Amino acid sequence: MSAITAYTIHSTALRKAQENAAIREEMLAESSFKFAEEEKEQFVSHMTSGVQLMVRPAEEAILAKTQEIVDSQSQLEKVLEEEAARMEAARGALSEVQQIMMRVPVYRQKVLQIKKEMANIQRRTSKLSSKSLQLKAARDKILDNERQQAARFAKLEARVVTTTPTPGGSGSPGGSKVAVVKE
């Protein structure tokens, strides 16, 4: 039952009780019977007690419901205060997030610059690597050529015939000959 409904029931019951009391008063005033003042007071007292007995259960229910509503409103007020405190704390956190988000473009630029530098370093490293491979290939070729020349030279030395003595002595113009092998 809502507070408005409880209030409506309570006010309706009170209004009816007041109307009934007013009607009874009129009836007593217009009555052809003349009651003594003491009887009149006694009659009004009994009628009032009767009305109070009729209205009391509804009044107690309304008061209980009103107290329940007041209690729930106080709990709701506490919850709202707690939520307000949480919102205030969230605003502080939100301002921190906003400050961090303001720094994001600067950090993004730094990351892009570092990425560009890394790509440049990678490009230079790959160039140096290819140059290194070319130099190694050239060195290997030179070493192969030197080994081949050394092998040819060794073959040539093995083929060279040392001087052989000719019959005729040492004093003649054609006395000794050196033989050379051609390749």
Side-chain angles (χ1 to χ4, degrees), residues 18 35 48-50 83 108 132-133 153 157 175 178:
Q18 289 171 349
F35 292 107
T48 306
S49 296
E83 288 299 318
R108 184 175 183 276
S132 171
L133 290 174
F153 185 68
E157 273 186 350
V178 177

Side-chain angles (χ1 to χ4, degrees), residues 69-119:
I69 291 169
V70 167
D71 292 342
S72 69
Q73 284 178 344
S74 66
Q75 288 176 349
L76 183 61
E77 185 179 351
K78 288 178 185 176
V79 168
L80 287 174
E81 288 173 358
E82 290 172 0
E83 288 299 318
R86 284 187 200 155
M87 290 299 292
E88 192 61 37
R91 280 192 195 121
L94 182 63
S95 68
E96 288 178 25
V97 169
Q98 286 175 338
Q99 289 175 355
I100 290 170
M101 292 305 289
M102 289 173 57
R103 289 183 277 182
V104 166
V106 172
Y107 288 131
R108 184 175 183 276
Q109 282 302 110
K110 287 181 180 180
V111 167
L112 290 175
Q113 183 64 29
I114 290 171
K115 186 176 178 182
K116 187 186 280 185
E117 288 176 13
M118 288 175 65

Side-chain angles (χ1 to χ4, degrees), residues 21-160:
I23 290 171
R24 285 186 193 98
E25 285 289 328
E26 283 180 26
M27 286 174 56
L28 283 175
E30 294 176 2
S31 170
S32 59
F33 300 106
K34 297 285 183 183
F35 292 107
E37 197 60 41
E38 185 177 299
E39 288 175 346
K40 197 177 190 184
E41 285 180 24
Q42 203 175 33
F43 178 73
V44 171
S45 172
H46 285 296
M47 291 299 284
T48 306
S49 296
V51 170
Q52 284 179 345
L53 287 174
M54 287 174 34
V55 175
R56 185 163 313 274
E59 181 183 10
E60 288 174 357
I62 290 169
L63 288 175
K65 196 63 174 174
T66 304
Q67 186 60 40
E68 184 180 315
I69 291 169
V70 167
D71 292 342
S72 69
Q73 284 178 344
S74 66
Q75 288 176 349
L76 183 61
E77 185 179 351
K78 288 178 185 176
V79 168
L80 287 174
E81 288 173 358
E82 290 172 0
E83 288 299 318
R86 284 187 200 155
M87 290 299 292
E88 192 61 37
R91 280 192 195 121
L94 182 63
S95 68
E96 288 178 25
V97 169
Q98 286 175 338
Q99 289 175 355
I100 290 170
M101 292 305 289
M102 289 173 57
R103 289 183 277 182
V104 166
V106 172
Y107 288 131
R108 184 175 183 276
Q109 282 302 110
K110 287 181 180 180
V111 167
L112 290 175
Q113 183 64 29
I114 290 171
K115 186 176 178 182
K116 187 186 280 185
E117 288 176 13
M118 288 175 65
N120 189 21
I121 289 171
Q122 183 180 8
R123 182 181 47 79
R124 290 189 323 203
T125 303
S126 66
K127 279 184 179 179
L128 288 174
S129 177
S130 66
K131 186 69 172 178
S132 171
L133 290 174
Q134 288 174 355
L135 289 174
K136 184 178 178 187
R139 184 192 65 184
D140 289 345
K141 186 175 181 181
I142 290 172
L143 288 175
D144 283 344
N145 285 343
E146 286 178 356
R147 278 190 226 120
Q148 288 174 359
Q149 283 180 348
R152 273 191 259 145
F153 185 68
K155 282 183 184 178
L156 283 178
E157 273 186 350
R159 289 186 171 181
V160 173

